Structures are given as structure tokens and as C-alpha cells.
Amino acid sequence: YMGSLDTLKMPVYHSNYNSLTNLQPICGTVVFPLKTKVKGPAPPCKASDEDVIDEALKFFRANVLFRNYQIKGPGDLFLTYCTVFIAQVLREFSKYKTKTEARTKITGISMSTTFLTPAEKGFPLAGFFKEPQARAEGDNFKNYFRQVREEVVNRLLDIAYLENGEQNKWWMAFSKRKFMNIASMDK
């Protein structure tokens, strides 16, 4: 193809989990199985399988470059949430030169229960997620995404920092990026 650069468009990556519908619905997405030791409502995923957090981390560096993202299913909603959260965590990591320092400082974000949910004013993805139909659904969203956030931070620590404890420049370069111009999932 020899068209001009103006006509070329990078494709966004959509989730391979959009077709999963036999899982518990939660505010427009579903409770996906996770490979995690973090306590929470997520059903377990086989350690040998890629889960939705693996997918979010794999697609992050490509998808974070986009200002628009068309949601095609519950997997895309999850991907959207995680992409914004990963960018937020990378911005925090950029303040800490070593993995040890980052691990001690990031606990507040990863284990926090005060992050915004779709029912709350100011939730950055309000146009994408549905408001909970009952208090139980809202509580389940908060519990599930607290588990997700903690697991994302645990995995991202191993990716954003090299084995010697120094920052991975190929990941930290994305710490200034905002997915869909959203800076944070928190209050």
C-alpha cells in the first residue's frame, strides 16, 4: 500500500474476551477469571492461560496512544479500565528509581478501596460502564476491581522494573501518556 500517511490508521487492539457472556455481569462488563493469589471475587484462571490482565498489559503500549476507543464488548470495558489504571500506576512508578522503593510506595494505590465506581460522580469512564442496578452489584464491582488493581500493580512491578531493580525505560517512556485523555481512575 502506497497511500499517504494521512490515510493510514493504526488499529486499536480489542479484547479476545468480548465473546465471554457466561460469566457474572457487573456494571456492563463481567467478572473475568484471573491468575492471582490476591483475595477477591474473581474465579481462578489456569496458570498456563492468558487472562484479561495479561491481555491488558500486552496491549497497553499500543492502546494508550489512542484518544478514542470503540467498545465492542465486556472485555473491551475491562481493557479500557486497566489501560487507564496502568498509565496511572506508571506515572507513580516514574517517581521511584528502584523496584524496592516503588513496591513500598505503591501499596496505597493498589490496595485502596476509595477509588471511584460507576455509581459515583466523577467516575472517568461513566459513559462506558453501566451504573450498578443494586448496592450488591456496586459492592461487587468495588471488590472485583480492588482485586484487579492489586494484581495489575503486582504484575506491572515485574515489567516496569528490570531484574536488577532499575526502571525499564521501554515501559517508563509511557508514564506520561493518557489513554483517551484520562489521567486517573481515583478520586
Side-chain angles (χ1 to χ4, degrees), residues 12-17 50 52-66 69 76 79 83 86 171 179:
V12 295
Y13 288 97
H14 289 281
S15 177
N16 296 316
Y17 296 92
E50 180 183 82
V52 286
I53 293 175
D54 290 331
E55 183 180 64
L57 290 167
K58 180 173 74 176
F59 293 160
F60 170 77
R61 291 185 289 178
N63 282 352
V64 75
L65 302 173
F66 291 94
Y69 189 80
D76 283 349
L79 208 59
T83 302
I86 291 166
W171 274 84
F179 180 57

Side-chain angles (χ1 to χ4, degrees), residues 163-177:
E163 286 184 25
N164 66 5
E166 295 176 359
Q167 291 180 340
N168 180 338
K169 68 180 181 180
W170 303 112
W171 274 84
M172 291 302 174
F174 290 88
S175 65
K176 293 176 177 64
R177 302 298 307 197

Side-chain angles (χ1 to χ4, degrees), residues 3 8 14-15 18 20 24-25 30 33 49 53 56 59 61 73-74 114 121 129 132 134 142 152 178 187:
L8 293 177
H14 289 281
S15 177
N18 280 331
L20 291 181
Q24 179 187 357
V30 295
D49 291 347
I53 293 175
F59 293 160
R61 291 185 289 178
T114 60
K121 185 178 180 183
F129 284 86
K142 185 141 281 294
V152 165
K178 295 178 188 175
K187 294 179 181 178

Side-chain angles (χ1 to χ4, degrees), residues 140-157:
N140 198 21
F141 181 92
K142 185 141 281 294
N143 291 333
Y144 178 63
F145 278 93
R146 192 217 42 85
Q147 181 183 20
V148 166
R149 290 162 64 101
E150 192 171 342
E151 184 61 28
V152 165
V153 167
N154 290 340
R155 294 188 202 179
L156 196 53
L157 265 168

Side-chain angles (χ1 to χ4, degrees), residues 51-94:
D51 70 0
V52 286
I53 293 175
D54 290 331
E55 183 180 64
L57 290 167
K58 180 173 74 176
F59 293 160
F60 170 77
R61 291 185 289 178
N63 282 352
V64 75
L65 302 173
F66 291 94
R67 290 191 175 187
N68 300 309
Y69 189 80
Q70 181 183 4
I71 303 296
K72 294 187 175 184
D76 283 349
L77 275 177
F78 184 93
L79 208 59
T80 301
Y81 186 100
C82 280
T83 302
V84 173
F85 184 67
I86 291 166
Q88 175 186 343
V89 172
L90 283 175
R91 272 189 294 287
E92 279 299 307
F93 283 173
S94 70

Side-chain angles (χ1 to χ4, degrees), residues 106-119:
I106 201 70
T107 305
I109 290 177
S110 70
M111 299 181 83
S112 173
T113 57
T114 60
F115 58 90
L116 294 169
T117 64

